Amino acid sequence: MKALLMWVGALIGVAGILLLAGMILNVVPSSAVRLVEGYMPMQMLFELTCFVAGFAGLSYVMSAMGMPFPRFWQGIGFWAFILLYLKYRVYPPIPFSVRAMYGTVSLVAVFMWVSASEEDWKKFKQPIMNVLDAQTGMNKLLRYAYLVLLPILIGGFSYNAMMPKSEEPIELRTVHPAPPASTKVHGKTYTLQTSQNPYRVNQEGKYDQEYTNANIVEQGMGRLMKPNANPWDDKNQGYLKYVREGGEIFFQNCHFCHGDNLNGRGLHAFAFNPIPANFTDPGTIAQLQETFIFWRVSKGGIGLPNEGFPWASVMPPWEQHLTVDEIWKVILFEYWHTGYYPRTWD
Amino acid sequence: MAPLTGKRVFSIMALCMMVGLLLLPIVIALPSPAIGEEAPAGDTAKKDGDKVEKGRDVYYKTEGIVVGAPAPKTTDGPKDYPRYNFESRVLIWFANQQHLYYGSFVLAVPIFCMIIEFMGVVTKDKALAKRYDQLAYDFIKISLTAYSLTAILGGILIFTFLTLYPAFFGYLSSIFRPVMHIYALMFVAESGTLYIYYYGWDKMKEGFLKWIHLSMSVVLNIIGTLLMFLANSWIGFMMSPAGVDEQGRYLGNIWHVIHTALWNPLNLHRILGNMAFGGGVVAAYAAYKFLAAKTDEDRAHYDWMGYIAMALGVAFLIPLPFAGYWLMREVYAYRQQMGITLMGGLLAWLFIIQATMIGILFLSSNYYLWQAMGRMRGAEKYQRYIKYLVFLLICGFLVFITPHTMVMTPAELKAMGGQQHPVLGNFGVMSAKNGGINVMITTTVLSFIWYMRGNKVSTVSWAKFGNIFMGVFFACAYINIIWLAIYGYYIPANVRVGLSVPQVATTLSCLFFMFALNSVMMRGAKQMGPIEWGKISVRSQYALIMLSTAFTWMMALMGYIRSSVRLFWHVNEIMRDNSPWAYTHTVGFAANMISFNVLFFWISILFVFWMGSLSAKKVPVEARAGIPGGVPQPAPAAGH
């Protein structure tokens, strides 16, 4: 049973290596095995889990066949695999800073694995010790080669690091700066901690967070409207009616940049750098109170506080174009459409 | 009943004196609120006839009679901000951090002593009991030298405040005036108790007297903890002021001033943090001594010492993230913008660094435990599975450190097609991070359990069932934690925040139930071989040093984050910082400053250790046999 499992694992490992090699050589596109929207993060972790199981199986099978793969090369190979996986498998491309973080952590992981027991550690460092001891002609040659190559490599890195570059500098952008305690819109002051969206009401017109939460679209594979919760049904009153009105305002004013799918990829989006906010991402409106959005929509990029450095937002201060009611309604629509609940406090 | 000897009388008197010292500040404090509330009000009434000015508490929203002056409106100049030709804030930062390091150390070590001394008292193995007692004594000896340094650094801190920030310090002192003398008296009580505890060690080492001595350590720790609570009330007030009106005028209720929105979470976080830090420092001391040891006996002793210190430190490290989570939750509840500045805005990058440091702590602890299995015969059966634990830990770690807003060049931003990465962006939010840290903690618990049963084979009749049950329990725990992390994306934020409770409960269930079950299963277990103390790889000792360095670095980092979240306020929304340094430092500068503080602390603590070693007495060799696991074997040069 164990041998069978290991064989299956080994096959997965080989398939994974071949697939990745294909992606690196551009024979197989990265999207050949699709990252499915909505499941991407777990899919990535699942793939990595399969690879670990696969490599464990491969190692077992090779040992059983009398061709054990040296521990040293196992460690180096696995680390290289992770680096290549992050660069060639995951799309869109991961920024270098994050790959560097992941690469460093993976290197630590490999070290922890190969040195967890004394026996493993001895196996791992044996090839290094062999080269340093240089008891054979080949090892002697390798030692001289390292003597020459390592300084050149380090020199190359230093040169590369010191060489002036013409790339645009990296920006540490604060996407969601802290809001003020209150904001004044059209002559009225709103306390952000306590204000509420006046249109989050049930059919009787009473403020009802639970009712509105129950009528947002469902997330998952695409977004689906709940049965009997179609805002474009003229008979609807209360929340769904205001969602429709908010939607009309959105498509008259906002969708050119934020996109008709609210993912920040509107008609004009790629004229801006950075492109407009993607409301479907769980890190944007899903993390924020409605009053935060109210403040940002009202004041726009020009109203960002000092903390919002480098103020990379071209959003107009919508208070100059919309009424307070319209702003609240459009916010209502954004949450409805994305299927997210605004942040609330107990 | 044993006769009342002179020693007994002396011991009981000493204990009574300690309790008296403990109660003294409280007794003195009793009239203080009354003074604060009534006497000045009476004075005011006399002066202004029946007119008394009332103000509304900025936090409690209660009305109170104004008895203090408003917070000073400072201006940039030598009057309010006298200075040397150097950034005053950096000087105060340095003085504060060093005082905090030593303060934490001297508060944590007596708690360790109390625990270890208690273990010595209840242990039936006399040789082992003696070793525990000696260990506790060694700890308190180190603490004593550090205590003097803490007092000196406290003095330096106050002088720095008085010299560089007189207006601010004057205001804060005026607010805390009713308890200032209690604070000072607590120091006296702490010092007195500590000296009696230390110098009474040899006189009270047997029987009933030992219990008296142990009680003294309890009193000592109560005083120390109260002292810390009072100190915490200052920073709590600066972050989330209460007991004053909008102008910062004291309203006469000192309890409101102390008991601010963030006081309790800060208290809990600091107790746990101090303990973990203290464990780390002592473990690093033991690691250093292990690496420098010339004999097998010394190696065995310091290996054991490092293990005990690490175990105690990690025991407090495990609940630390939960306490931190509570603190952050209270910060958000107190001021949303403060929470966003911390975790989503200006200081969010520092939190990524913090997550990295937390990860390093757990990685180091696990690595140490895996290395420690190497000194047990029979633990080999677990070692082949370590790679899977590494994988679990690293997956948790990677999720935990993934930033939500990534550092990238504009070209990378364009290639990514937006500010958020569709795959990794999901790891950048709290739901995923809660899952990540709980996976790491649960894995640490699993490593501990493997370590505990490393050289043992259970002999209970239901051992097989017990092992399967444990395996299933852990598997279910991982599934539950990961499932809840995913589920968190599909529910309202306020419910999502509440999901941390079942996640934490799952982790703690693993901790308590599995430890308990494992202990029952291993009762009377067959020993495969002794623990060969001293026969541990040198890598394990570097892991301990890494652990403690990460603790110190993280403490400084979190202190900086907590302090800088006030942005341009001395006292949040009450007293504005109008000095030229009322801006937030760059991440790079802060990291350098933190590193400098860490380096200075370690250099100075080495001096403290050296001082402690000057009066070190050689431990009788006969006691070594009592080290759990038996007599150490000659250790080969392991791990080179």
Side-chain angles (χ1 to χ4, degrees), chain A residues 92 97 102 115 125 173 289, chain B residues 336 367 371 402 407 421 640:
Chain A
S97 66
Y102 283 8
S115 66
K125 65 183 185 183
R173 183 172 169 237
Q289 262 187 294
Chain B
Q336 183 190 199
Y367 188 72
Q371 294 299 308
T402 303
V407 176
H421 195 282
H640 291 290

Side-chain angles (χ1 to χ4, degrees), chain B residues 350-370:
Chain B
L350 296 170
F351 263 85
I352 292 296
I353 301 174
Q354 181 233 9
T356 310
M357 300 313 284
I358 292 174
I360 290 171
L361 293 181
F362 281 105
L363 293 188
S364 310
S365 311
N366 278 277
Y367 188 72
Y368 175 82
L369 289 170
W370 302 334

Side-chain angles (χ1 to χ4, degrees), chain A residues 92 96-97 102 115-116 118 121 125 170 172-173 178-179 193 265 273 275 281-283 289 307 341 344-345, chain B residues 332-333 336-337 341 346 349 367 371 394 401-402 404 407 412-413 417 419-421 426 491-492 494 539 639-640:
Chain A
F96 175 76
S97 66
Y102 283 8
S115 66
E118 208 51 46
W121 181 233
K125 65 183 185 183
I170 286 171
L172 258 182
R173 183 172 169 237
Q193 189 99 346
R265 290 161 188 239
N273 185 15
I275 66 167
D281 184 273
Q289 262 187 294
E307 195 188 328
Y341 309 95
T344 50
W345 305 102
Chain B
Y332 264 98
Q336 183 190 199
Q337 62 263 49
T341 300
L346 190 67
W349 262 98
Y367 188 72
Q371 294 299 308
I394 292 298
I401 61 168
T402 303
H404 181 237
V407 176
E412 286 176 322
L413 180 72
Q419 192 78 46
Q420 283 82 27
H421 195 282
N426 292 276
I491 51 173
N494 56 338
R539 295 188 303 283
H640 291 290

Side-chain angles (χ1 to χ4, degrees), chain B residues 558-572:
Chain B
M558 295 315 291
Y560 167 69
I561 294 175
R562 187 197 47 69
S563 188
S564 54
V565 74
R566 284 179 283 111
L567 301 174
F568 45 83
W569 296 100
H570 285 309
V571 178
N572 193 38

Side-chain angles (χ1 to χ4, degrees), chain A residues 2 6 35 38-42 44-45 48-49 52 56 78 90-99 101-102 105-106 108-113 115-118 120-121 125 167-181 192-193 213 219-220 265 270 273-275 277-278 281-284 286-289 291-292 307 340-346, chain B residues 329 332-338 340-342 344-347 349 352 356 362-364 366-367 370-371 383-384 386-388 390-391 393-395 397-399 401-427 429-431 482 486 489-497 537 539 567 573 587 638-640:
Chain A
K2 186 184 173 188
M6 289 299 177
L35 286 167
Y39 296 92
M40 287 172 173
M42 288 315 293
M44 182 184 141
L45 289 177
L48 285 173
T49 309
V52 166
F78 185 70
V90 183
Y91 59 90
I94 304 174
F96 175 76
S97 66
V98 181
R99 274 190 291 123
M101 279 165 69
Y102 283 8
V105 171
S106 308
V108 171
V110 168
F111 170 76
M112 287 172 74
W113 160 41
S115 66
S117 72
E118 208 51 46
D120 277 353
W121 181 233
K125 65 183 185 183
E167 284 172 10
E168 293 174 77
I170 286 171
E171 279 177 3
L172 258 182
R173 183 172 169 237
T174 306
V175 180
H176 300 305
L192 268 59
Q193 189 99 346
N213 282 350
Q219 287 190 66
R265 290 161 188 239
F270 291 96
N273 185 15
I275 66 167
N278 172 6
D281 184 273
T284 57
Q287 297 287 315
L288 302 164
Q289 262 187 294
T291 48
F292 185 104
E307 195 188 328
Y340 288 131
Y341 309 95
R343 181 155 197 125
T344 50
W345 305 102
D346 293 323
Chain B
R329 200 181 152 167
Y332 264 98
Y334 171 70
R335 283 289 182 278
Q336 183 190 199
Q337 62 263 49
M338 201 181 249
I340 293 176
T341 300
L342 279 168
L346 190 67
L347 304 171
W349 262 98
I352 292 296
T356 310
F362 281 105
L363 293 188
S364 310
N366 278 277
Y367 188 72
W370 302 334
Q371 294 299 308
Q383 283 182 328
R384 74 182 110 142
I386 283 173
K387 54 179 171 283
Y388 302 113
V390 173
F391 181 68
L393 268 177
I394 292 298
C395 282
F397 188 30
L398 287 179
V399 170
I401 61 168
T402 303
H404 181 237
T405 306
M406 296 169 184
V407 176
M408 51 191 155
T409 61
E412 286 176 322
L413 180 72
K414 279 175 200 153
M416 213 168 85
Q419 192 78 46
Q420 283 82 27
H421 195 282
V423 183
L424 305 183
N426 292 276
F427 296 148
V429 295
M430 209 59 215
S431 194
I482 295 167
I486 298 168
Y489 288 92
Y490 297 93
I491 51 173
N494 56 338
V495 185
R496 180 168 62 235
V497 170
S537 71
R539 295 188 303 283
L567 301 174
E573 297 167 11
V587 174
H640 291 290

Side-chain angles (χ1 to χ4, degrees), chain A residues 115-329:
Chain A
S115 66
S117 72
E118 208 51 46
E119 197 188 338
D120 277 353
W121 181 233
K122 271 184 194 150
K123 276 190 209 164
F124 178 80
K125 65 183 185 183
Q126 196 58 52
I128 302 170
M129 302 308 286
N130 288 345
V131 171
L132 290 174
D133 290 344
Q135 296 293 330
T136 63
M138 183 62 187
N139 283 332
K140 207 170 269 181
L141 192 69
L142 274 174
R143 194 169 68 169
Y144 283 123
Y146 285 129
L147 191 69
V148 176
L149 288 175
L150 280 176
I152 291 175
L153 199 68
I154 293 165
F157 278 128
S158 309
Y159 175 77
N160 202 34
M162 301 299 287
M163 194 174 62
K165 293 183 182 68
S166 55
E167 284 172 10
E168 293 174 77
I170 286 171
E171 279 177 3
L172 258 182
R173 183 172 169 237
T174 306
V175 180
H176 300 305
S182 62
T183 185
K184 198 171 186 179
V185 181
H186 288 294
K188 192 179 168 193
T189 301
Y190 296 85
T191 305
L192 268 59
Q193 189 99 346
T194 53
S195 294
Q196 292 173 326
N197 190 332
Y199 294 102
R200 200 165 274 284
V201 293
N202 59 24
Q203 286 174 308
E204 285 81 46
K206 283 186 184 163
Y207 185 87
D208 192 340
Q209 184 84 38
E210 281 183 24
Y211 170 79
T212 58
N213 282 350
N215 281 298
I216 57 170
V217 299
E218 282 178 359
Q219 287 190 66
M221 299 276 279
R223 282 172 245 150
L224 298 170
M225 279 189 291
K226 297 251 172 73
N228 307 319
N230 178 3
W232 277 266
D233 183 343
D234 287 338
K235 281 176 257 164
N236 279 322
Q237 289 301 311
Y239 172 69
L240 289 169
K241 177 173 169 267
Y242 299 128
V243 165
R244 182 177 68 233
E245 291 174 13
E248 284 163 7
I249 299 159
F250 182 88
F251 284 106
Q252 284 165 9
N253 299 280
C254 316
H255 97 285
F256 302 106
C257 297
H258 288 286
D260 50 6
N261 209 21
L262 280 74
N263 58 1
R265 290 161 188 239
L267 194 64
H268 303 316
F270 291 96
F272 306 125
N273 185 15
I275 66 167
N278 172 6
F279 300 145
T280 63
D281 184 273
T284 57
I285 61 171
Q287 297 287 315
L288 302 164
Q289 262 187 294
E290 277 186 297
T291 48
F292 185 104
I293 319 292
F294 178 77
W295 163 66
R296 286 290 286 115
V297 172
S298 308
K299 302 297 171 190
I302 205 163
L304 278 169
N306 289 347
E307 195 188 328
F309 176 85
W311 307 286
S313 168
V314 290
M315 191 164 79
W318 283 101
E319 64 180 342
Q320 294 174 10
H321 308 279
L322 299 175
T323 64
V324 167
D325 291 342
E326 286 172 331
I327 294 172
W328 281 125
K329 283 175 188 171

